[in-house]
Amino acid sequence: MTIQRFHISKRLSEVTVYNGVAYLAGQIPANTPNQPIYEQTKDVLAEIDRLLAEVNSDKTRILRAEVVLVDMNDYAEMNRAWDEWVADNNAPPRATIQAKLANEAWKIEIVITAATN
């Protein structure tokens, strides 16, 4: 099987596809730094949609999600955006942890693993 990499930089690839599975790098709120968590979450989820579509997948094919929050006090507002986005009857297994992120303007990072079509 061939390993496919998308949006490759010196440091990382945004997506790797292998054996029918897409592995997304942690997605951050590139368009909404310093915005409230709800807006940052929506930004990240839109980027996930875009990347999944690029590799012939979508949010109904997500196998696992890992959410990193800088502040667990943002959990409810993050979930509000997530619940508006997640496909009915297709909520994936998900873990949510609190940790410091690489940029102080980011409140969230989401890592996705999904099946491709």
Side-chain angles (χ1 to χ4, degrees):
M1 296 241 111
T2 302
I3 297 173
Q4 298 175 287
R5 299 183 195 284
F6 299 81
H7 307 287
I8 304 166
S9 71
K10 182 178 179 180
R11 185 166 293 148
L12 60 87
S13 298
E14 286 296 326
V15 183
T16 297
V17 177
Y18 178 72
N19 202 23
V21 178
Y23 303 89
L24 277 63
Q27 298 304 305
I28 49 87
N31 300 312
T32 55
N34 297 310
Q35 297 295 310
I37 189 66
Y38 177 80
E39 284 77 15
Q40 286 197 10
T41 304
K42 289 180 69 81
D43 182 19
V44 170
L45 296 173
E47 184 62 10
I48 289 168
D49 281 337
R50 186 187 73 73
L51 290 170
L52 289 175
E54 188 173 340
V55 296
N56 200 28
S57 188
D58 62 54
K59 63 187 170 187
T60 68
R61 314 250 326 141
I62 294 174
L63 302 171
R64 184 168 193 262
E66 299 170 26
V67 178
V68 179
L69 292 175
V70 170
D71 186 346
M72 282 303 247
N73 289 320
D74 288 334
Y75 188 72
E77 280 297 288
M78 178 277 295
N79 272 329
R80 183 167 71 96
W82 177 273
D83 291 345
E84 292 170 0
W85 173 80
V86 74
D88 288 341
N89 299 313
N90 283 288
R94 189 184 89 178
T96 304
I97 63 168
Q98 179 176 317
K100 184 176 181 177
L101 296 176
N103 184 322
E104 290 184 9
W106 304 336
K107 298 174 188 279
I108 187 168
E109 184 171 355
I110 301 177
V111 179
I112 295 290
T113 304
T116 58
N117 292 329

